Amino acid sequence: MTPRARSRAVEIVRAGPLTTVQDLGRPGYAHLGVGRSGALDQPAHRLANRLVGNPPAAATLETTLGGTALRALGEPVVVAVCGAVAAVRVNGASVAWAAPVYVPTGALLEIGPAVRGVRSYVAIAGGFLAEQILGSRSTDLLSGLGPAPLRDGDVLAVAQPPQVPPAADVIPVSAPADSPIELAVLPGPRAEHFGAETWHTLTRAEYRVKDQSNRIALRLDGPALARQGPDSIPSEGAILGALQVPADGLPILFLADHPPTGGYPVIGVIPGEALHLATQAAPSTRVRFRAANLGSPKAARLR
């Protein structure tokens, strides 16, 4: 690292309940027992990077509910905060959410508690630097890979921003969806464990997000989903967006830090383009599932 690069850094003044370093994750290692991890709300992560001129793979900070605060060290920086809607301040003065913001050397950037959504993404021009493990800087809470969750007093190095500023463009910006959220669901690989009535229950009932939800899974409370098979099955590969049904019948939606295998049948899968809605669902958010692609042979057996 060059002397100039070392002069670009931020100090974590207030880490918040859970703030981690995230990028696009480490896909392709499930055969080694390593999940994808990465930013839960990928569109918000990508947008924050885009606003400060970074490539999508640059590392951001992912906050959880309570926000965070950091101080610019060495050189001024440009940041953007996207994802969960929260108050953003520089030295106490309100600045824009979802827009590039200049933070002078020594200034305090504060991201307040989320007022809509759960997770905010803090991008900084150049990207945060941390050790790469299997090609990613992401923190994986389940496996323990990547940097530890941030603590007060931590200092993070920042890479140099691109020499050529990005071209100006236009992109729509939206806040996380209000309750209830609606998630499209495709039939899962274990349709034989569920009858048509169970599928109808899933796609017509309303669930609520439980407090125990985290980066590993969104846990839901509501009508139990009856099964026609055993409580558990031989362990098999699990994917992002899988809707697993454990013995109590209450569905669990796997998120980025999910285990690479699971021992309960999967009734459905949430397509990747819809997952960001789930990642911003706060406790008590109402969730509905809408059947998608009902013309598929597997879905036809569930109707």
Side-chain angles (χ1 to χ4, degrees):
M1 189 182 296
T2 66
R4 186 182 178 198
R6 282 198 298 269
S7 70
R8 291 177 55 82
V10 297
E11 177 189 4
I12 305 302
V13 177
R14 179 177 62 84
L18 177 64
T19 299
T20 58
V21 177
Q22 299 295 339
D23 54 23
L24 297 181
R26 46 182 71 86
Y29 295 99
H31 64 294
L32 300 178
V34 176
R36 184 185 68 85
S37 192
L40 286 189
D41 188 342
Q42 293 269 326
H45 162 88
R46 291 172 180 270
L47 177 59
N49 271 325
R50 184 172 180 172
L51 288 171
V52 297
N54 290 341
T60 62
L61 300 185
E62 179 185 276
T63 74
T64 308
L65 288 175
T68 191
L70 51 87
R71 191 180 306 279
L73 304 178
E75 294 182 10
V77 293
V78 175
V79 304
V81 181
C82 295
V85 179
V88 183
R89 296 183 175 87
V90 175
N91 279 346
S94 295
V95 295
W97 171 82
V101 171
Y102 177 78
V103 182
T105 301
L108 182 68
L109 171 71
E110 297 176 277
I111 296 91
V115 297
R116 188 168 170 186
V118 175
R119 297 171 174 90
S120 294
Y121 292 84
V122 186
I124 192 165
F128 292 98
L129 291 175
E131 181 185 3
Q132 287 190 324
I133 298 177
L134 297 178
S136 172
R137 294 184 169 93
S138 288
T139 299
D140 185 331
L141 297 182
L142 184 65
S143 71
L145 293 178
L150 297 179
R151 298 178 298 179
D152 295 357
D154 284 349
V155 174
L156 291 176
V158 178
Q160 286 293 324
Q163 295 297 313
V164 179
D169 62 359
V170 176
I171 185 171
V173 177
S174 60
D178 279 329
S179 177
I181 62 171
E182 187 175 89
L183 301 176
V185 59
L186 295 164
R190 291 290 169 246
E192 68 274 12
H193 286 261
F194 306 94
E197 188 60 35
T198 302
W199 180 256
H200 289 165
T201 298
L202 174 67
T203 56
R204 287 163 174 77
E206 186 172 273
Y207 291 85
R208 287 186 181 268
V209 176
K210 298 173 70 173
D211 292 344
Q212 295 86 349
S213 299
N214 52 29
R215 282 186 48 87
I216 297 169
L218 196 72
R219 297 179 179 273
L220 301 171
D221 196 11
L225 299 175
R227 288 184 306 221
Q228 297 178 339
D231 283 346
S232 61
I233 61 174
S235 187
E236 59 186 2
I239 65 169
L240 178 67
L243 196 62
Q244 192 180 72
V245 182
D248 62 7
L250 298 178
I252 297 174
L253 176 58
F254 279 170
L255 300 180
D257 286 0
H258 71 84
T261 61
Y264 296 112
V266 173
I267 189 173
V269 177
I270 311 305
E273 61 270 16
L275 273 177
H276 72 281
L277 296 174
T279 66
Q280 293 290 3
S284 297
T285 296
R286 292 175 291 152
V287 179
R288 297 170 183 162
F289 294 97
R290 173 179 53 82
N293 192 24
L294 289 179
S296 70
K298 187 174 293 183
R301 294 199 297 271
L302 292 171
R303 282 185 292 191

